[in-house]
Amino acid sequence: GTGSNILSALQDLFWLLKSKVEKQLQIISVLQWVLTFLIMGIACTLILMYILCTDCWAIAALYLAWLVFDWNTPKKGGRRSQWVRNWAIWRYFRDYFPIRLVKTHNLLTTRNYIFGYHPHGIMGLGAFCNFSTEATGVGQKFPGIRPYLATLAGNFRMPILRDYLMSGGICPVNRDSIDYILSKNGSGNAIIIVVGGAAESLNCTPGKNSVTLKNRKGFVKLALRHGADLVPVYSFGENEVYKQVIFEEGSWGRWVQKKFQKHIGFAPCIFHGRGLFSSNTWGLLPYSKPITTVVGEPIIIPKIDNPSQKDVDFYHSIYVDSLIKLFDKYKSKFGLPETEVLEVN
């Protein structure tokens, strides 16, 4: 009896220690990604400039020569690495929240797709985990489909960061890159565009389901030009992981944010999550709230070389209706009341 009790106690202690270690690994995995998102590009640029002024300048010079040679690679589908996409760190990243990917329909490998991802949130955590890693099994759920998460083109001008992003299958969200993937990269490609962009991030706050979409029609025009099917995607919980100071329209804070958005491409947000050592303190770590990304039914899009505004408006309205229906169908399954309405701005 005594031996059995000691063994049981040791087993309980083992599982407790294992649980604590896993939790710490989850925190570390999320922290490294947040720091990558916020400072990696600037930090690598400064380090490269510093190395140029040291005895190791030849290393920096060789990398810069490679950068010039490789400059257009992000516009041509990038350089993805299945090894990087399958890193164990992304599974810890997934489990921290946790993040889940829900498939509702099959996708044909003979077609190309543009996924409209909503909402942006502060950092697009669900978009990254689901489509730039294999942590949630996107490759198994959509066999034969190559996902490309589109992000700011400016990120690909940053040394080292550009290579890190490309390894996950991330591409610039510009016409050259999207045209290449949809016209010169065969079929079975899926470009994920966070349609609301920086403007949408300014309004994200816990408890609010709002998307910036009414006047965002460029992705529909691209879909028509290439005959790429549109797929609405809604990520429940994306707005819950950070708290943000919302500036009212007309305030000085909103004016500054819009100026940054117009001239630089992103809007600076004043936000906070939890602390590194305690969920009761403020910090850069997101709160561990569930994020469930639902991939909806594809909308068949015809190929029209020069779509008219009437064509764009018609398929845009179909897309908006499909997104609202997707939200209404799944909202109660993922913690929202039946009365919750998706706000489309």
Side-chain angles (χ1 to χ4, degrees):
T2 303
S4 178
N5 290 337
I6 293 175
L7 181 60
S8 178
L10 288 174
Q11 288 176 336
D12 291 343
L13 180 61
F14 170 77
W15 288 113
L16 180 63
L17 290 173
K18 183 180 178 181
S19 176
K20 287 185 176 181
V21 169
E22 286 185 347
K23 188 62 181 176
Q24 294 305 313
L25 289 173
Q26 291 170 12
I27 289 173
I28 291 169
S29 69
V30 175
L31 179 63
Q32 68 83 27
W33 189 85
V34 170
L35 293 178
T36 296
F37 182 90
L38 294 176
I39 66 172
M40 183 178 179
I42 295 173
C44 289
T45 302
L46 293 175
I47 291 171
L48 195 67
M49 292 172 62
Y50 171 76
I51 294 174
L52 279 171
C53 301
T54 69
D55 293 338
C56 298
W57 64 269
I59 297 174
L62 283 172
Y63 179 80
L64 288 174
W66 161 252
L67 195 62
V68 172
F69 175 78
D70 195 54
W71 191 253
N72 289 323
T73 298
K75 298 178 183 178
K76 297 180 178 180
R79 188 170 44 246
R80 75 174 55 220
S81 166
Q82 286 301 115
W83 175 65
V84 173
R85 288 175 61 89
N86 282 286
W87 276 354
I89 195 172
W90 305 132
R91 295 193 290 275
Y92 289 113
F93 182 98
R94 172 199 65 197
D95 293 340
Y96 172 84
F97 296 93
I99 295 174
R100 179 186 172 203
L101 180 65
V102 176
K103 169 186 174 180
T104 63
H105 291 79
N106 292 324
L107 299 181
L108 299 176
T109 57
T110 55
R111 300 285 293 175
N112 284 324
Y113 302 90
I114 293 180
F115 287 19
Y117 184 92
H118 313 269
H120 183 286
I122 295 292
M123 296 185 183
L125 293 159
F128 171 79
C129 185
N130 285 308
F131 302 112
S132 294
T133 81
E134 293 296 329
T136 56
V138 64
Q140 289 74 43
K141 291 176 180 177
F142 299 103
I145 301 297
R146 293 181 297 275
Y148 293 87
L149 177 60
T151 188
L152 289 175
N155 289 325
F156 296 89
R157 301 187 187 104
M158 301 283 191
I160 310 300
L161 175 64
R162 67 189 293 277
D163 301 287
Y164 191 36
L165 295 178
M166 284 193 291
S167 68
I170 300 177
C171 68
V173 63
N174 58 32
R175 181 168 173 175
D176 289 343
S177 177
I178 294 173
D179 282 347
Y180 183 91
I181 293 170
L182 294 180
S183 63
K184 299 178 181 179
N185 201 40
S187 60
N189 302 293
I191 298 179
I192 297 89
I193 300 177
V194 186
V195 178
E200 192 171 83
S201 69
L202 296 179
N203 295 315
C204 71
T205 187
K208 185 175 183 179
N209 288 282
S210 171
V211 297
T212 301
L213 183 56
K214 281 184 179 179
N215 298 315
R216 300 294 175 107
K217 300 180 180 181
F219 73 105
V220 178
K221 190 172 184 178
L222 281 170
L224 285 165
R225 288 180 63 246
H226 292 285
D229 296 343
L230 289 171
V231 182
V233 179
Y234 197 84
S235 209
F236 294 90
E238 186 71 64
N239 286 345
E240 307 299 316
V241 296
Y242 279 110
K243 296 179 181 178
Q244 180 183 191
V245 177
I246 304 293
F247 293 103
E248 297 295 329
E249 291 292 339
S251 66
W252 67 269
R254 183 53 65 99
W255 179 84
V256 170
Q257 289 176 323
K258 286 188 173 181
K259 286 295 181 182
F260 265 85
Q261 178 189 337
K262 180 179 179 181
H263 297 292
I264 301 179
F266 73 93
C269 302
I270 299 178
F271 64 92
H272 74 84
R274 52 156 291 182
L276 181 60
F277 301 106
S278 171
S279 59
N280 296 321
T281 58
W282 288 11
L284 289 176
L285 277 177
Y287 293 104
S288 52
K289 303 288 186 179
I291 298 175
T292 305
T293 303
V294 183
V295 179
E297 181 178 5
I299 302 164
I300 305 300
I301 302 294
K303 189 177 187 303
I304 305 175
D305 290 334
N306 294 296
S308 65
Q309 189 59 48
K310 184 177 179 181
D311 293 326
V312 174
D313 291 342
F314 175 73
Y315 284 101
H316 181 268
S317 65
I318 293 176
Y319 178 85
V320 173
D321 290 342
S322 296
L323 178 64
I324 292 173
K325 289 177 181 177
L326 180 70
F327 176 84
D328 288 339
K329 181 177 180 180
Y330 289 93
K331 60 186 178 184
S332 61
K333 294 181 180 180
F334 303 118
L336 297 178
E338 283 289 348
T339 55
E340 184 73 17
V341 176
L342 178 63
E343 181 182 330
V344 180
N345 298 313

